[in-house]
Amino acid sequence: MPKFAANLSMMFTEVPFLARFKAARAAGFTAVEYLFPYAEDKAAIAAELKTQGLTQALFNMPPGDWEAGERGLASLPGRESEFRAGVATALSYAEALGCRQLHAMAGLRQAGVSAEQHEATYVANIQYAADQAAKQDVLVLLEPINSRDMPGYFLSTQVQAEALLEKIDRPNVRIQLDFYHCQIMEGDLTRTIDRLWGKFSHIQIASVPERHEPDQGEINYPWLFDYLDAKGYDGYLGCEYRPRGNTEAGLGWFAPWADKE
């Protein structure tokens, strides 16, 4: 049976961040994810997770200056010290929140920096992050992001991520397979699942092309859910979508899997 995690950066934004945990649990979710927890006290988040009986499925390592447009540090030469500090911060939150997966955003390609330099920096940084995360039994995830929503992002396809996995060569590094990004860049989702089986540990979902609830658009999500279930996928499906309107009003698609108390 599929397990779903509500993405609290996009869903339940009708209420303040710390109130979204209760809203997610009331809607029937048993796990949550979000972009970043660092604006909140980790003890306060941990208390909400415990009170609501929620699992923290995933969050991102610090991305640099998000408000200024930065989208990660992992592939940026010259920012290694900042990246390493972010790894320590992320692992501190992961320990407090009982989170076993962290996504390291790759960053945008920089003027005057070659693809080879970006890749070498990325591989070395992810190796460092993986070695530190292994001490806490935490996985480090690589997520390709489509070039339409995030032009210039270093990592944009599953093919690229698969090749990088081999170069990074760490047992606790996996792919974060986002069907929304993958459909836009490559499509062929079923065969991609088959090819990457055992190499990904987290999946994210949203409709294509509008990134809304997964009950509309060009991806047949009910079929994919059944396919993953039949193959034995036991990770979470992160609902990283922008609701068309009120979050709860759009959860009809989720009703068959909701865990209502």
Side-chain angles (χ1 to χ4, degrees):
M1 181 174 176
K3 300 185 299 182
F4 295 89
N7 188 297
L8 302 186
S9 296
M10 292 190 175
M11 303 173 69
F12 303 105
T13 58
E14 298 86 355
V15 297
F17 180 74
L18 286 176
R20 295 174 198 171
F21 294 82
K22 182 177 181 179
R25 186 66 191 93
F29 288 95
T30 58
V32 295
E33 63 174 38
Y34 36 74
L35 292 180
F36 313 110
Y38 310 111
E40 306 289 343
D41 179 71
K42 53 180 175 282
I45 299 175
E48 278 302 307
L49 290 168
K50 183 177 180 180
T51 298
Q52 305 304 331
L54 290 165
T55 296
Q56 182 67 56
L58 173 77
F59 59 87
N60 296 336
M61 294 182 187
D65 191 341
W66 185 264
E67 297 302 322
E70 292 191 323
R71 292 297 182 263
L73 302 172
S75 77
L76 305 190
R79 304 287 293 276
E80 290 86 353
S81 294
E82 189 177 348
F83 176 80
R84 290 187 174 203
V87 170
T89 298
L91 285 171
S92 173
Y93 271 80
E95 182 176 20
L97 306 182
C99 184
R100 299 282 307 283
Q101 299 187 121
L102 295 171
H103 167 222
M105 294 192 72
L108 304 176
R109 293 190 297 271
Q110 305 293 293
V113 178
S114 69
E116 291 76 16
Q117 288 175 295
H118 272 293
E119 181 175 294
T121 303
Y122 186 76
V123 169
N125 275 334
I126 298 300
Q127 287 173 334
Y128 173 82
D131 291 343
Q132 297 305 304
K135 300 172 184 177
Q136 293 180 204
D137 197 23
V138 168
L139 299 177
V140 175
L141 305 190
L142 322 178
E143 182 192 19
I145 297 177
N146 80 76
S147 57
R148 184 172 70 205
D149 286 4
M150 203 172 286
Y153 195 71
F154 169 71
L155 177 57
S156 60
T157 70
Q158 306 302 324
V159 171
Q160 183 186 4
E162 191 174 15
L164 285 166
L165 271 185
E166 293 188 17
K167 295 179 180 181
I168 293 163
D169 192 27
R170 292 295 188 273
N172 62 324
V173 178
R174 301 281 191 280
I175 290 172
Q176 183 173 319
L177 177 55
D178 188 313
F179 287 150
Y180 168 77
H181 295 306
C182 185
Q183 173 69 5
I184 291 170
M185 296 300 295
E186 298 158 278
D188 204 18
L189 297 179
T190 303
R191 294 294 173 255
T192 298
I193 291 169
D194 291 342
R195 189 183 84 247
L196 297 181
W197 192 254
K199 298 180 180 180
F200 60 86
S201 63
H202 190 73
I203 290 172
Q204 290 177 318
I205 62 173
S207 70
V208 177
E210 300 299 335
R211 204 172 191 174
H212 293 320
E213 288 88 346
D215 57 357
Q216 293 185 1
E218 64 194 54
I219 300 177
N220 185 349
Y221 274 112
W223 193 92
L224 286 175
F225 296 159
D226 287 344
Y227 190 77
L228 287 165
D229 215 23
K231 284 183 73 73
Y233 176 68
D234 61 359
Y236 284 100
L237 295 163
C239 302
E240 195 181 40
Y241 65 78
R242 293 186 291 264
R244 290 187 291 267
N246 176 274
T247 301
E248 291 184 31
L251 287 174
W253 71 270
F254 176 58
W257 299 286
D259 180 29
K260 294 294 187 73
E261 294 180 339

